[in-house]
Amino acid sequence: MSAESGRSVAVAITGASGALYATRTLAALLERRCRIELIVTEYGRRLLRDELGEEAAVERLADYLAGKYGEGTRNGSYTLYSNRDLGAKIASGSQDCEAMVVVPCSMKTLAGIAHGLSRTLVERAADVMLKERRTLIIVPRETPMSLPQLRNMTLCAEAGAVLLPAMPAFYQMPKSLDDLADFIAGKILGALGFTHDLYPKWGG
Ligand SMILES: Cc1cc2nc3c(=O)[nH]c(=O)nc-3n(C[C@H](O)[C@H](O)[C@H](O)COP(=O)(O)O)c2cc1C
C-alpha cells in the first residue's frame, strides 16, 4: 500500500456532457485504493448510459470500470448514495471525507453550489466541503456560457473551490477520446495531490 492509499474522496456525477471524464477519474482514484463516496444525479445516470452505453449504467459501474480500465480499479471501494438522501454521512461536516470532485458539473448544480442551496446531497456535500475549508473541485462543462454561469463559477472560486473546466489540451497530441479524458482526470488527480502519469508532462 502506498502512502496515498485509503483516502476518502466524494465524487459527484451530474448531467453535463462528459461522462468519460467521470469514469476515468473514478477508475484512477479506485486504482489508488480510495474510498469513494459516490453520488450520481438523475441526469448523471442518464448521461452515463447515453454517452457510454448501458454497460456503464450506475448499477454496473464496478464491472464497467474493471473491464475498461483494469482489475486495479477493484483496489478501492465506493458507496453509492441517493442524491435525495440528505441524511447520508457526507451531508455532515463531522465525517472524514477529505475532498470532493463534481465531474462533470452541470450549470444547474454549479448554480446550487454557488448559492449554498443544499437542496440535494450533491449540493449539501459540496457546501460541507466549502464550510469546512476542504478541497472541492468543480469540473464545469458548458459552452458558450451565460453571465450568470460565469458569475456562479466566480462565486465558487471565491468560496474556495477549484474550478477545473473540462477543457482538454492538445499539446500532448491526443489520439483518442480516452487520451482527452486522461488529461482531465490527470488534472483532477493533481489537484487532489496525487502523483500520476495520465498524460505526458510538457517538456518545453
Ligand atoms: C444529453 C444531455 C446533455 C447535457 N449536457 C449538459 C452540459 O454539457 N452542461 C450542462 O450544464 N447541462 C447539460 N445538460 C442539462 C442538464 O442535464 C440539466 O440541466 C439537468 O437538470 C442537470 O441536473 P443535475 O445537475 O442534477 O444533474 C444536458 C442534458 C442532456 C439530456
Side-chain angles (χ1 to χ4, degrees):
M1 237 186 236
S2 77
E4 295 176 332
S5 66
R7 289 174 61 182
S8 174
V9 179
V11 175
I13 303 174
T14 76
S17 188
L20 193 57
Y21 298 131
T23 55
R24 188 65 190 97
T25 301
L26 272 179
L29 292 175
L30 290 168
E31 284 165 1
R32 288 162 176 77
R33 302 179 188 274
C34 286
R35 289 173 287 127
I36 309 284
E37 313 292 352
L38 180 63
I39 321 160
V40 187
T41 68
E42 190 183 335
Y43 273 83
R45 288 169 181 256
R46 174 173 170 171
L47 264 287
L48 282 171
R49 294 197 315 273
D50 282 0
E51 295 189 346
L52 303 176
E54 283 302 322
E55 63 271 27
V58 75
E59 299 77 17
R60 304 185 205 162
L61 212 45
D63 289 340
Y64 175 82
L65 295 174
K68 183 169 172 68
Y69 300 107
E71 288 295 318
T73 57
R74 299 196 198 271
N75 292 344
S77 61
Y78 66 82
T79 304
L80 179 64
Y81 298 94
S82 163
N83 197 27
R84 285 192 284 269
D85 184 6
L86 290 168
K89 71 172 189 176
I90 49 174
S92 167
S94 62
Q95 45 77 28
D96 68 351
C97 189
E98 62 181 83
M100 178 172 180
V101 187
V102 187
V103 56
C105 185
S106 76
M107 297 301 99
K108 176 191 143 192
T109 292
L110 173 73
I113 297 170
H115 295 276
L117 299 184
S118 290
R119 297 166 298 188
T120 62
L121 185 57
V122 173
E123 290 178 0
R124 171 63 188 169
D127 208 35
V128 166
M129 292 294 147
L130 293 177
K131 83 183 178 71
E132 300 290 339
R133 303 288 193 266
R134 297 181 197 162
T135 302
L136 173 64
I137 300 168
I138 297 174
V139 184
R141 209 242 53 107
E142 188 52 278
T143 195
M145 283 191 167
S146 68
L147 187 57
Q149 292 163 349
L150 293 166
R151 287 195 169 131
N152 286 337
M153 288 202 297
T154 302
L155 281 172
C156 287
E158 285 171 344
V162 175
L163 272 292
L164 199 156
M167 291 180 182
F170 288 81
Y171 59 76
Q172 82 281 24
M173 307 302 279
K175 295 182 179 52
S176 67
L177 295 180
D178 286 319
D179 288 345
L180 297 175
D182 283 357
F183 183 84
I184 296 299
K187 286 285 178 182
I188 293 168
L189 260 70
L192 288 170
F194 287 101
T195 54
H196 69 87
D197 56 2
L198 282 161
Y199 58 83
K201 306 292 181 293
W202 179 247

